Amino acid sequence: MALTPLSDALATLLAQIDSTPQIEWVSLEAASGRYAAEAIHSTLSVPPADNSAMDGYAVRTGDLPAVLRVSQRIPAGSAPTALEPATAARIFTGAEIPDGADAVVLQEDAEQLDEGVRLPEAREGQHIRRRGGDIQPGQQLVAAGRYLRPQDVGLLASVGLDAVQVFQPLTVAVLTTGDELREPGSGDLVSGEIYNSNRFSLAAQIRALGMNVLDMGNLPDQPERIGDALERAAAEADCVITAGGVSVGEEDHVRGQIESRGTLNLWKLAIKPGKPLAFGEVCGTPVFGLPGNPVSSWMTFALVAKLWLIKRQGGVVFAPPRFAVRSGFAVARPGTREEFIRVSLEGSGTAMRATLTGSQSSGVLSSLSEADGVAVIGPGQTVAEGDWLDVIPMSALLSPEVA
Ligand code: AMP
Ligand code: MG
């Protein structure tokens, strides 16, 4: 079977999504971590009026330099009266500029005298924050599908909103498979066993996208039980994610069960780690069959399933940033697949170097946990020490905003 480039697989997968979740209102307190269901526009100007950026004196620049009587005091939150001719108004940060004033002189630049304050020349507009300088009426604040972050809910609050329409979070079922897997906390390993790690990393990746996890636990390598669990998961969740059992081994029953109880597409993705990937449907619910090796399942989730889930959630994604970084290692033999290499970053600026965090085997989680990012090496590409590499930061691979 020919290898499918990642971009081709993504294009096919994403094109199949034609619905978004139900919409609900949530209070602004509960909106961070949710996906906006509609574009949100401001009806107001922010700031609502010209105001002072500093503590000082509101003045008319035409009067300066001069010694001026202080005709009023304007703390933040009070309503000023028009500035009397040839006077200054004592003003504080955030207070409204009185009509007639066109600049603020810093208090540090003013000299207190018995008859008033001595003020130097001032530039028109200095230290004044203009009405609408942040937000204009009608301005779009967030686009439809935007994942709302703390700074976004702050922005929405700044125009007086206290509730927003968001998409209901998807429920994503996680199901691992393998007779060898023991759950952490269920006792010590006996010969042949390893602890189930994918169940935890996948659930955490899903939650990091603001979605709900339906934990189906681990299934032994028995076709009927795997098939039944797939159907139960499909009945309750918007999407089912399995790990393991999608290669061609005799004990790999997930793909067979997706096929016999629904429909299946099997891809050999041209990426390393993470070659086999099943995508299909059981009882009308989409199913991703990710590979079992812990780094492969993490990586195929981050590079493929995550994008699908965010689009299905109604979210919008941006291309992840890629930083040009000097390589601290060599790749002498060109590969046939696009390779995602776990690296840590040392140094700063143009002297930043990417070094391997350890073994790049698809079963080695410690080098993934150590990594600051992944270096992307194209098929057929070799790398010499000191070459420029493209590195995607780890935060981008986990982020609900970039794909
Ligand atoms: P499989 O795709 O089921 O053949 O699994 C490939 C490799 O990944 C085997 O070494 C498995 O033991 C390992 N593996 C599969 N699932 C998990 C899991 N949930 N946690 C840790 N390792 C796993
Ligand atoms: Mg297995």
Side-chain angles (χ1 to χ4, degrees):
M1 196 163 85
L3 295 181
T4 309
L6 178 60
S7 51
D8 291 3
L10 280 174
T12 307
L13 278 171
L14 297 180
Q16 292 168 3
I17 299 172
D18 57 9
S19 64
T20 47
Q22 300 271 312
I23 293 171
E24 63 184 356
W25 282 99
V26 291
S27 71
L28 205 54
E29 286 90 343
S32 188
R34 307 293 300 270
Y35 296 78
E38 49 165 21
I40 302 172
H41 297 85
S42 178
T43 56
L44 310 176
S45 297
V46 178
D50 289 359
N51 68 88
S52 180
M54 302 297 255
D55 292 342
Y57 295 87
V59 294
R60 233 177 247 100
T61 48
D63 292 339
L64 300 182
V67 175
L68 297 179
R69 178 171 67 83
V70 178
S71 55
Q72 64 176 312
R73 189 172 183 279
I74 317 170
S78 68
T81 57
L83 183 66
E84 280 178 41
T87 70
R90 182 76 171 111
I91 196 163
F92 299 90
T93 304
E96 263 184 40
I97 303 291
D99 278 349
D102 63 0
V104 170
V105 176
L106 297 187
Q107 62 187 18
E108 299 88 305
D109 296 337
E111 188 189 342
Q112 300 289 338
L113 305 171
D114 288 343
E115 61 274 35
V117 277
R118 185 191 304 283
L119 299 168
E121 242 175 356
R123 182 178 43 78
E124 199 179 317
Q126 85 178 22
H127 305 309
I128 293 179
R129 301 190 288 215
R130 290 294 176 198
R131 169 188 164 86
D134 180 355
I135 299 163
Q136 298 276 329
Q139 185 177 325
Q140 179 173 299
L141 300 170
V142 302
R146 171 69 167 280
Y147 176 83
L148 297 173
R149 303 160 298 170
Q151 57 270 45
D152 302 320
V153 296
L155 182 72
L156 298 177
S158 78
V159 302
L161 293 173
D162 69 343
V164 287
Q165 283 192 296
V166 296
F167 290 115
Q168 283 181 0
L170 295 179
T171 296
V172 184
V174 175
L175 191 161
T176 61
T177 64
D179 286 340
E180 74 280 27
L181 299 178
R182 175 175 285 278
E183 295 309 314
S186 74
D188 293 340
L189 300 176
V190 300
S191 178
E193 290 182 336
I194 59 169
Y195 286 116
N196 185 353
S197 58
N198 291 343
R199 198 180 129 232
F200 292 85
S201 50
L202 285 171
Q205 281 175 298
I206 293 163
R207 290 196 186 97
L209 303 179
M211 298 168 193
N212 297 324
V213 172
L214 176 65
D215 183 358
M216 302 296 293
N218 184 58
L219 272 290
D221 291 312
Q222 298 169 18
E224 285 308 307
R225 289 191 56 185
I226 290 173
D228 292 348
L230 280 173
E231 286 187 6
R232 270 185 284 120
E236 287 186 48
D238 300 298
C239 177
V240 181
I241 299 210
T242 70
V246 289
S247 356
V248 290
E250 280 171 25
E251 297 292 338
D252 291 324
H253 302 301
V254 174
R255 44 182 293 205
Q257 286 302 305
I258 299 174
E259 200 157 30
S260 68
R261 303 199 188 216
T263 52
L264 173 82
N265 258 310
L266 189 72
W267 279 304
K268 283 199 166 140
L269 293 181
I271 60 173
K272 185 181 178 184
K275 187 159 63 174
L277 178 88
F279 181 76
E281 145 283 311
V282 169
C283 307
T285 302
V287 180
F288 280 94
L290 307 184
N293 270 307
V295 181
S296 302
S297 73
W298 187 95
M299 200 70 83
T300 46
F301 183 91
L303 297 174
V304 184
K306 181 182 111 170
L307 280 67
W308 189 94
L309 287 172
I310 292 173
K311 183 167 181 204
R312 177 68 182 79
Q313 176 68 75
V316 285
V317 290
F318 306 93
R322 290 183 175 206
F323 297 107
V325 175
R326 296 278 186 193
S327 182
F329 58 91
V331 178
R333 274 188 305 156
T336 52
R337 299 183 268 162
E338 192 176 18
E339 220 176 310
F340 297 87
I341 295 184
R342 290 150 256 173
V343 295
S344 63
L345 300 174
E346 286 150 23
S348 61
T350 52
M352 192 180 279
R353 264 164 48 98
T355 54
L356 300 178
T357 52
S359 162
Q360 299 293 312
S361 159
S362 57
V364 172
L365 266 182
S366 53
S367 59
L368 181 64
S369 175
E370 275 293 304
D372 298 319
V374 294
V376 186
I377 315 270
Q381 191 188 335
T382 58
V383 176
E385 262 195 67
D387 282 358
W388 289 106
L389 288 175
D390 264 7
V391 174
I392 304 175
M394 194 52 77
S395 55
L397 288 168
L398 294 165
S399 163
E401 299 155 70
V402 289

